Amino acid sequence: MKHYIAAALLTTAVTSLAAPAFAEDAICYNCPPQWADWASMLTAIDDKLDIQMPHDNKNSGQTISQLLAERAAPVADVAYYGVTTGIKAGNEDIVEAYKPAGFDDIPEGLKDPEGKWFAVHYGTLGFFVNVDALGGAPVPQCFADLTKPEYNGMVGYLDPSSAFVGYAGAVAANMAFGGDLDNFDPAIKYFNGLGKNNPIVPKQTSFARVVSGEIPILFDYDFNAYRGKYEEEGNFEFVLPCEGSVRVPYVMGLVKNSPNPELGKRVLDYILSDEGQAIWTNAYLNPARPIDLPAEIADKFLPASEYARAEAVNYADMEKAQAGFGERYLSEVK
């Protein structure tokens, strides 16, 4: 079957200086083996292309900072980051337009038309649910459900004024109730309503707290929920809210004036190939292109009909609105 998908976020890691490059090395900033199964991707690139890419454990912010610092003498050939960082890199003119093979198959909204950034995979915001911790309450299916009394004290979301996944959840909830990136009034109203149910609002990723049952329902990405469902002991589900949600892409680009641009292009071509795209599903990430997946893999994801409710947004506008919404959240949500 075709598994269709459309996409700050966000890797957390420690700074690591890139290893010295050799003749057939390509340097990727922010491709940590522990995240998104970059380990398998780096191995495949070595095996299939005979290109070695040293491990790099930057996060998105560290990546763009180093690219800017090295603008006059670039070290990296390709870079990987959350979508808003990718947009900033394009605006700063530190990446150049390149459309790998398969670029045209990436859905609109998940790529820069010129090719300065493009999704390689994405996550979708929804509910990561520990079913066993619901105390007999039904698995919620909609944002509206979470304000019901039976979910009192059960709902968690990351602080949207400080965590990007929390902000993505706010954007999704805002759209669910008729808002847009110019009008966050519905989100403010929703979070105030949810506040009557005593939500848990951590500032950092809370996968372990869902697994333990401390937070029975968390606004989170699908790939974390699937990781819980298929790799942890317990009964976990991912719910894509009935009102709809947003895709959050992770993107790549070719560094401008890079040392090895042809190697960088070959790497990007492979990552967008059918074979390369399938590797991301090892980490339960949706590939950016609609590719054929074996049934045993596709069946681990919600069906394409469910994902049709998840939208791409104008991510540049989403980034611009983030600070303003954060200020409103802190001042208006009680």
Side-chain angles (χ1 to χ4, degrees):
M1 63 177 287
K2 283 233 183 216
H3 182 62
Y4 287 98
I5 48 221
L9 319 67
L10 300 177
T11 63
T12 55
V14 296
T15 305
S16 171
L17 294 178
F22 298 97
E24 288 299 307
D25 276 10
I27 301 297
C28 173
Y29 279 175
N30 189 21
C31 53
Q34 304 88 350
W35 163 255
D37 203 18
W38 266 107
S40 293
M41 182 64 75
L42 295 175
T43 297
I45 289 169
D46 190 353
D47 291 343
K48 302 294 184 178
L49 306 181
D50 196 25
I51 296 173
Q52 293 74 48
M53 297 217 307
H55 297 174
D56 183 83
N57 289 329
K58 295 175 184 63
N59 62 28
S60 293
Q62 292 163 346
T63 293
I64 194 168
S65 293
Q66 191 149 352
L67 290 174
L68 288 167
E70 296 167 350
R71 184 197 298 268
V75 174
D77 300 296
V78 297
Y80 166 86
Y81 20 48
V83 60
T84 54
T85 305
I87 292 169
K88 288 179 183 178
N91 291 339
E92 291 286 349
D93 198 32
I94 51 177
V95 288
E96 63 181 79
Y98 177 64
K99 298 180 180 181
F103 178 89
D104 290 344
D105 295 336
I106 301 173
E108 294 302 320
L110 298 181
K111 58 189 175 185
D112 170 57
E114 296 179 3
K116 291 185 176 180
W117 60 267
F118 43 85
V120 294
H121 54 72
Y122 70 90
T124 298
L125 201 290
F127 308 149
F128 176 15
V129 182
N130 184 329
V131 180
D132 296 331
L134 293 178
V139 175
Q141 298 299 310
C142 307
F143 280 111
D145 289 341
L146 301 182
T147 61
K148 295 178 180 178
E150 57 260 48
Y151 301 110
N152 185 46
M154 292 187 181
V155 180
Y157 62 87
L158 271 65
D159 183 344
S161 69
S162 61
F164 185 82
V165 63
Y167 176 54
V171 171
N174 189 55
M175 293 171 57
F177 296 104
D180 57 37
L181 296 174
D182 294 318
N183 174 22
F184 277 91
D185 289 348
I188 297 297
K189 181 179 179 180
Y190 177 73
F191 283 112
N192 275 317
L194 192 59
K196 298 175 183 178
N197 252 2
N198 300 301
I200 304 164
V201 189
K203 292 185 179 296
Q204 296 180 337
T205 184
S206 298
F207 179 87
R209 296 175 72 179
V210 179
V211 171
S212 70
E214 180 185 354
I215 303 177
I217 306 163
L218 180 70
F219 289 19
D220 205 352
Y221 296 125
D222 53 352
F223 52 83
N224 283 329
Y226 294 142
R227 175 184 161 203
K229 181 179 178 70
Y230 298 115
E231 297 185 12
E232 299 290 339
E233 293 184 6
N235 185 9
F236 303 97
E237 294 293 340
F238 173 66
V239 176
L240 204 159
C242 70
E243 300 96 340
S245 190
V246 295
R247 304 164 183 154
V248 181
Y250 296 81
V251 307
M252 295 191 73
L254 182 68
V255 176
K256 189 171 185 178
N257 299 321
S258 70
N260 303 292
E262 294 309 312
L263 296 185
K265 291 176 182 179
R266 290 176 61 201
V267 165
L268 296 174
D269 286 347
Y270 178 77
I271 287 172
L272 280 188
S273 70
D274 286 5
E275 184 176 314
Q277 288 282 280
I279 290 173
W280 303 125
T281 64
N282 296 340
Y284 311 108
L285 286 149
N286 289 303
R289 293 177 49 242
I291 62 171
D292 286 317
L293 295 174
E296 63 271 17
I297 295 176
D299 288 347
K300 291 184 175 182
F301 295 79
L302 291 179
S305 58
E306 291 282 300
Y307 276 104
R309 294 198 302 278
E311 299 181 42
V313 300
N314 185 315
Y315 298 102
D317 289 348
M318 182 176 171
E319 191 274 332
K320 291 175 184 176
Q322 184 172 2
F325 173 76
E327 292 173 1
R328 285 196 65 187
Y329 174 85
L330 290 174
S331 65
E332 298 181 40
V333 175
K334 311 301 181 184

